[in-house]
């Protein structure tokens, strides 16, 4: 028997592993460099095509683990992804693309707002999603250009230079 807490432990373990990979390994450094500026990363000796391939594989693996975790407490059907696509889109819009912390902050904010709206009217979850879409439309009008968090490309270049000097 697998409980909901096991899905939480799967999430926290994979989040820690992903953050370790992105912040403490050469692969994470190269992924961040290629994400920021592929031409500059290529001039530093990084193969952007290889990094894009590895990133796609890593993302597919994370999506597979997320599917397994959702399957632990939801009914698995061929259409189960349609229930989560709106929240995923809202998370990416609010959090920004290419920033782990911005995405986590966006997901947390979306989750708390949606559950807060559902608390006022528990019988109508569709109304909560409708209000969330309205919130996202308003947020898009006033949001920063890169979502909730921004990262300066100069810092990534300094990290690359430091990594290769200390190697």
């Amino acid at each position: 028997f697998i409980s909901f807490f096991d899905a939480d432990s799967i999430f926290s373990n994979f989040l820690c592993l992903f953050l370790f990979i992105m912040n403490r390994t050469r692969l994470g450094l190269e992924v961040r460099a290629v994400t920021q500026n592929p031409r500059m990363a290529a001039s530093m000796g990084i193969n952007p095509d290889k990094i894009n391939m590895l990133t796609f594989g890593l993302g597919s693996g994370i999506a597979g683990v997320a599917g397994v975790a959702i399957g632990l407490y939801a009914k698995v059907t061929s259409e189960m992804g349609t229930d989560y696509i709106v929240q995923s889109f809202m998370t990416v819009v609010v959090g920004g693309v290419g920033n782990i912390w911005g995405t986590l902050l966006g997901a947390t904010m979306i989750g708390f707002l949606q559950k807060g709206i559902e608390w006022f009217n528990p019988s109508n979850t569709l109304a909560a999603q409708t209000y969330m879409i309205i919130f996202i439309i308003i947020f898009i009008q006033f949001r920063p250009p890169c979502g909730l968090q921004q990262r300066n490309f100069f810092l990534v270049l300094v990290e690359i230079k430091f990594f290769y000097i200390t190697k």
Side-chain angles (χ1 to χ4, degrees):
F1 179 77
I2 296 176
S3 68
F4 179 75
F5 297 108
D6 290 331
D8 284 343
S9 66
I10 289 172
F11 166 74
S12 60
N13 288 336
F14 272 91
L15 177 64
C16 291
L17 178 67
F18 183 71
L19 290 174
F20 177 78
I21 289 171
M22 293 304 292
N23 292 324
R24 301 283 186 219
T25 65
R26 180 181 174 138
L27 174 64
L29 182 65
E30 290 177 351
V31 165
R32 288 182 283 141
V34 170
T35 301
Q36 293 288 326
N37 192 339
R39 289 178 63 203
M40 181 64 75
S43 70
M44 299 290 287
I46 299 170
N47 184 355
D49 293 331
K50 177 184 169 189
I51 296 301
N52 287 336
M53 179 184 64
L54 291 172
T55 304
F56 183 80
L58 183 65
S60 299
I62 291 171
V65 170
V68 169
I70 289 172
L72 293 176
Y73 66 92
K75 185 172 72 171
V76 178
T77 65
S78 61
E79 299 175 353
M80 69 185 278
T82 58
D83 297 336
Y84 303 102
I85 194 73
V86 174
Q87 285 93 352
S88 300
F89 174 72
M90 289 189 291
T91 299
V92 169
V93 168
V94 171
V97 177
N99 190 327
I100 300 165
W101 295 111
T103 303
L104 283 173
L105 183 62
T108 303
M109 191 170 78
I110 295 288
F112 277 118
L113 283 173
Q114 186 166 357
K115 291 303 174 187
I117 293 170
E118 288 177 7
W119 183 73
F120 287 114
N121 190 2
S123 64
N124 194 356
T125 58
L126 183 61
Q129 280 197 339
T130 305
Y131 292 136
M132 288 304 300
I133 291 172
I134 291 170
F135 167 76
I136 295 301
I137 291 170
I138 293 170
F139 182 81
I140 288 172
Q141 301 301 316
F142 303 105
R143 75 182 173 109
C146 293
L148 292 174
Q149 301 234 345
Q150 248 176 320
R151 180 159 175 121
N152 191 353
F153 179 65
F154 177 73
L155 295 176
V156 174
L157 286 179
V158 169
E159 285 179 9
I160 290 172
K161 193 125 184 130
F162 179 74
F163 184 79
Y164 284 109
I165 288 172
T166 59
K167 183 177 168 186

